[in-house]
Amino acid sequence: MRQKRTQIRDHRAESALFFRRALVSFIGIIVLVSLLLANLYNIQVSQHEDYQTRSNDNRIKIVPVAPNRGLIYDRNGILLAENRPVYSLEITTEKVPNLEETFVQLTELMGITDEDIKRFRKERRRTRRFKSVPLLNQLTEAQVALFSVNQHYFPGVEVKAYLKRYYPYGEALTHVLGYVAKINDRDLQKLERDEKINNYKATRDIGKIGIEKYYEDLLHGTSGYQEVEVNSRGRVIRTLKYVPPIPGKDIRLNLDIELQLYVQELLTERKQDPDTGEEIIKHKRGSVVVLDPRDSSVLAMVSSPSYDPNLFVHGISGKKYRELLNDKNRPLVNRVTLGIYPPASTIKPMIAVAALSEGVITTRTTRNDPGYWKIPNSKSRAFRDWRRWGHGKVNIYKAIEESVDTFFYQVAYDLGIDRLSNWMGRFGFGEYTGIDIHEESQANMPTREWKQARFRKPWYQGDTIPVGIGQGYWTATPLQIAKATSVLVNDGLVEAPHLLKGIIDDETEMPAKFDNYPPITNVDPKYWEVAREGMYNVLFGKKGTARRAFAKAKYKAGGKSGSAQVFSLAENQKYNADELKEHLRDHALFTAFAPYEKPEVVVSMVLENAGGGSSNGGPVARKIFDHMLLKPKQTDQSQQAVKDAKLAEVNQ
């Protein structure tokens, strides 16, 4: 058996291998340490400012501060929209140990409802966890006191004070001022599109309709901010810097609140319940607008019935909103700018100007009225006059004074729909009036193209005839009628009705400026006077349709009544208001101006289902003119007395 040889180790080779491995490891360590040092240098030196900024962003927060909303005054300096302190019960969820248990306890103590909790949860999803979320708004002093003595039981729950919009005249100005309400998702989307979202980060309310919405940019102001230091949980430790917000600008309107309240009262019926003795208040359906034709400023704008805008400021309940939405009297609709009615005979003076200017008639043109009119050489049905036995021999003056339908049937036939719609468009029909609120309808001035697009049918000759008396496819808003009347008394000068009078900045008032419209030119001045003289005869002529309403008036004025049909009568059917349901009765329309020589006031109205325009609208216009033209000018003291009396009534 052979014996194994003993192997001899090569120490030199092993030593060389170890050295090579150690050298590679050392070089690797040197490279890695170099990379680490280079990265540290890059972070600590090269990118120091960037990381310092990021660190500050985590430590320092910019908290926006909401500005105070601008105030709204009437033309005499009476406050119409103010900011009042209100108290809100709010919860910071980060500080609450058990939110559900807190809800149960607050329900027992404060009487919060399921709707309050539901609204809280919705708002909480849009709010950062370290910010407080309102649970109960508009706390009474008793509620504030009750919670204050029990606050130690509710960590994370506190009472906060805010300035909230308040409208002291309530429903009297809703359709003019509008209201502010909580910013919703739709508002946020619009603010983002308009790149205004940063200015509203601290704001909870925004103008929804009316003046509040139209002049939102003026009234809101500019947000301020404060730099605060926060801990890792987002809680504020201290304030580093404070930049105050810039309050919104105050504005003055052309409205006269005393006149507004007076007109509103004219559309209100007050009766006493024979059983209980309590006063029963009924608001008539209708609208009245009062303009100063010298500059087209809106002195009063009443839509009835209305509603209290303060309900929306703090969040209206679903039940209350459904009641308003489903009310058959439509209180949510501003009838002055959104109410659409046939303008009826109120437009006959304007059509007279068009007919005279086009040479269709002259001041000496006379026609016989037997009580009906037929399209020449046609077997179509007869178009009837409102007086069944007719008016006899008629010229343009008598046609306006007695509102002779047959005369204007012939005028419409001779003018044709193309010239008729073009002329009435120049008076503003079928167009926005330009008033400074967004809630407005163009209504409809019919044309051939409109009918083809709307009904896929051509325009027939018979369609033109009722347009001549403001019926058929023609519709208008009360404000459009008022604007057209103002154009008439100003010999064709066209101006947009406007509510804003001036902007108050640092106690200096800057007058409002509005764009001008092209005037109606190429009209003989005497034709304007013919139309106005006809309107004068309506009120003071021997057979004027509104002569009874203006009997013994101490001033001269002009006006025109109208009765708009709600439904079409059959050929042999006779209109009898007593036999019809109220909603089928004619609308009463009336437009007028005074004084006659130098008009200072234009009044236009629509009283829904009230009947004849002369007998129902005329007396209302007379009372407004008497109130404005005959009443002695009030002193500041008497104005304040009126304000205080009305405020007391509103707050009862």
Side-chain angles (χ1 to χ4, degrees):
M1 189 173 177
R2 296 179 63 183
Q3 189 177 5
K4 294 181 178 180
R5 290 188 306 175
T6 303
Q7 295 181 351
I8 300 174
R9 297 176 61 183
D10 189 346
H11 294 285
R12 182 176 295 177
E14 290 179 356
S15 177
L17 177 63
F18 175 79
F19 178 77
R20 288 195 299 273
R21 289 177 177 176
L23 181 62
V24 170
S25 299
F26 179 74
I27 292 172
I29 292 171
I30 293 297
V31 170
L32 292 175
V33 170
S34 298
L35 290 174
L36 178 62
L37 292 174
N39 193 42
L40 287 173
Y41 179 85
N42 183 52
I43 292 173
Q44 296 291 338
V45 180
S46 300
Q47 299 186 36
H48 171 76
E49 292 184 1
D50 181 43
Y51 283 98
Q52 178 69 32
T53 301
R54 294 187 186 184
S55 175
N56 286 337
D57 285 345
N58 291 330
R59 182 178 63 89
I60 300 173
K61 296 292 182 183
I62 303 298
V63 180
V65 180
N68 290 337
R69 195 169 182 85
L71 307 178
I72 303 176
Y73 298 90
D74 87 332
R75 67 187 301 111
N76 298 311
I78 297 176
L79 194 58
L80 306 180
E82 59 182 302
N83 302 318
R84 285 189 175 183
V86 296
Y87 298 97
S88 174
L89 186 67
E90 302 192 0
I91 299 178
T92 305
T93 53
E94 181 199 36
K95 301 178 182 179
V96 178
N98 189 325
L99 187 60
E100 298 304 321
E101 180 63 27
T102 300
F103 284 151
V104 173
Q105 295 174 354
L106 287 174
T107 300
E108 296 176 356
L109 179 67
M110 305 294 291
I112 65 171
T113 64
D114 292 339
E115 190 171 348
D116 295 328
I117 297 174
K118 181 180 179 181
R119 188 166 53 245
F120 171 86
R121 295 187 191 280
K122 182 179 179 181
E123 186 68 22
R124 180 189 176 190
R125 289 193 290 268
R126 302 192 310 180
T127 308
R128 294 182 180 181
R129 59 189 177 90
F130 57 84
K131 285 190 173 183
S132 61
V133 180
L135 174 64
L136 198 61
N137 294 311
Q138 208 173 0
L139 299 178
T140 64
E141 292 183 0
Q143 287 176 312
V144 173
L146 177 63
F147 180 78
S148 297
V149 297
N150 292 278
Q151 186 171 3
H152 59 283
Y153 295 118
F154 298 95
V157 185
E158 59 184 330
V159 172
K160 288 190 174 182
Y162 297 96
L163 286 177
K164 279 280 190 178
R165 206 53 149 184
Y166 179 73
Y167 304 99
Y169 293 95
E171 62 182 27
L173 292 170
T174 303
H175 295 296
V176 180
L177 300 181
Y179 55 82
V180 299
K182 187 174 293 184
I183 296 175
N184 56 31
D185 294 336
R186 186 183 302 174
D187 297 323
L188 289 174
Q189 292 173 3
K190 186 178 185 304
L191 290 171
E192 288 175 352
R193 287 197 305 269
D194 297 341
E195 299 181 351
K196 297 178 181 178
I197 189 68
N198 289 332
N199 197 34
Y200 281 80
K201 285 186 175 179
T203 304
R204 295 185 175 181
D205 298 327
I206 193 171
K208 295 290 185 176
I209 62 172
I211 287 292
E212 291 280 24
K213 181 177 182 179
Y214 196 92
Y215 291 110
E216 172 67 25
D217 291 345
L218 283 175
L219 293 167
H220 177 262
T222 304
S223 295
Y225 68 91
Q226 55 181 342
E227 290 184 2
V228 296
E229 186 176 358
V230 298
N231 61 17
S232 60
R233 297 176 64 86
R235 191 171 300 170
V236 176
I237 299 175
R238 61 182 175 134
T239 299
L240 304 177
K241 182 180 180 181
Y242 178 75
V243 175
I246 301 174
K249 291 181 171 59
D250 299 340
I251 62 176
R252 187 190 303 275
L253 303 184
N254 286 303
L255 281 178
D256 185 331
I257 183 59
E258 191 271 337
L259 176 63
Q260 180 85 4
L261 294 170
Y262 178 79
V263 176
Q264 184 192 39
E265 189 64 26
L266 293 178
L267 298 185
T268 304
E269 290 183 355
R270 299 179 183 273
K271 296 181 180 178
Q272 193 173 35
D273 190 307
D275 299 325
T276 63
E278 295 182 356
E279 186 180 43
I280 301 175
I281 299 176
K282 179 183 177 182
H283 299 285
K284 300 177 184 178
R285 296 189 307 276
S287 58
V288 179
V289 58
V290 183
L291 301 181
D292 184 340
R294 293 171 293 185
D295 61 1
S296 285
S297 56
V298 181
L299 305 179
M301 191 170 83
V302 176
S303 177
S304 176
S306 184
Y307 59 97
D308 186 359
N310 294 301
L311 295 172
F312 287 84
V313 175
H314 301 284
I316 190 171
S317 67
K319 179 182 178 182
K320 185 63 178 177
Y321 182 69
R322 286 190 295 272
E323 288 178 2
L324 291 173
L325 197 62
N326 298 325
D327 191 328
K328 64 180 181 180
N329 293 319
R330 302 186 303 161
L332 293 173
V333 176
N334 182 357
R335 286 169 160 84
V336 174
T337 58
L338 293 174
I340 299 174
Y341 315 88
S345 297
T346 59
I347 47 75
K348 288 177 179 176
M350 296 79 178
I351 293 180
V353 173
L356 289 165
S357 299
E358 291 289 341
V360 168
I361 59 172
T362 69
T363 55
R364 290 190 288 270
T365 299
T366 58
R367 293 184 177 130
N368 185 57
D369 170 32
Y372 63 90
W373 182 90
K374 285 188 176 183
I375 297 176
N377 304 317
S378 171
K379 295 182 180 180
S380 63
R381 69 180 180 87
F383 293 87
R384 297 179 298 182
D385 190 90
W386 67 269
R387 181 179 288 172
R388 298 182 67 86
W389 55 88
H391 297 263
K393 195 174 182 179
V394 178
N395 61 14
I396 185 60
Y397 297 99
K398 185 175 181 179
I400 298 175
E401 176 183 353
E402 299 184 28
S403 198
V404 182
D405 292 336
T406 58
F407 189 92
F408 286 95
Y409 290 148
Q410 183 68 49
V411 166
Y413 175 79
D414 293 336
L415 275 172
I417 190 58
D418 298 325
R419 288 192 292 181
L420 185 56
S421 61
N422 178 63
W423 268 96
M424 294 304 100
R426 296 170 72 182
F427 278 94
F429 292 105
E431 303 289 343
Y432 293 117
T433 63
I435 191 170
D436 42 347
I437 56 175
H438 293 297
E439 301 75 43
E440 185 182 16
S441 171
Q442 288 179 290
N444 182 52
M445 185 66 237
T447 61
R448 297 178 190 275
E449 296 76 18
W450 170 84
K451 188 183 179 187
Q452 185 64 43
R454 178 70 174 80
F455 297 106
R456 299 290 188 268
K457 292 181 180 180
W459 187 271
Y460 299 111
Q461 216 167 29
D463 295 330
T464 306
I465 310 309
V467 175
I469 61 167
Q471 299 279 356
Y473 294 121
W474 189 356
T475 59
T477 66
L479 187 61
Q480 286 177 332
I481 297 172
K483 179 181 178 181
T485 305
S486 183
V487 171
L488 184 70
V489 302
N490 285 314
D491 289 355
L493 179 64
V494 183
E495 293 182 311
H498 55 276
L499 291 159
L500 183 65
K501 184 177 179 65
I503 303 168
I504 303 172
D505 189 11
D506 294 330
E507 299 183 358
T508 301
E509 184 169 341
M510 298 176 291
K513 296 181 180 180
F514 298 91
D515 296 334
N516 293 324
Y517 288 73
I520 301 177
T521 55
N522 301 324
V523 176
D524 192 319
K526 68 181 180 182
Y527 294 156
W528 297 111
E529 190 56 39
V530 168
R532 289 194 293 266
E533 187 175 337
M535 296 177 74
Y536 173 83
N537 293 336
V538 169
L539 306 187
F540 300 100
K542 292 181 179 179
K543 294 185 178 180
T545 55
R547 64 188 184 280
R548 292 185 176 87
F550 281 82
K552 299 181 181 180
K554 297 180 180 179
Y555 47 83
K556 292 182 179 181
K560 188 69 191 76
S561 61
S563 300
Q565 291 181 350
V566 176
F567 70 101
S568 298
L569 294 170
E571 188 169 355
N572 296 316
Q573 185 180 1
K574 183 179 180 181
Y575 177 84
N576 189 335
D578 295 333
E579 296 178 357
L580 294 173
K581 294 181 179 179
E582 183 184 1
H583 69 279
L584 294 176
R585 296 173 187 168
D586 290 349
H587 298 319
L589 290 83
F590 203 86
T591 187
F593 63 91
Y596 181 82
E597 294 81 4
K598 294 182 179 180
E600 300 175 8
V601 187
V602 166
V603 174
S604 296
M605 71 190 70
V606 176
L607 307 179
E608 293 183 7
N609 308 119
S614 297
S615 56
N616 294 281
V620 175
R622 169 70 185 274
K623 290 178 181 178
I624 294 173
F625 284 153
D626 287 353
H627 180 80
M628 297 184 67
L629 302 177
L630 303 181
K631 188 176 181 179
K633 299 295 182 181
Q634 292 185 324
T635 62
D636 293 339
Q637 184 176 1
S638 62
Q639 285 181 354
Q640 186 63 41
V642 171
K643 174 190 174 185
D644 294 341
K646 293 298 180 182
L647 273 176
E649 180 181 333
V650 169
N651 292 327
Q652 283 179 351

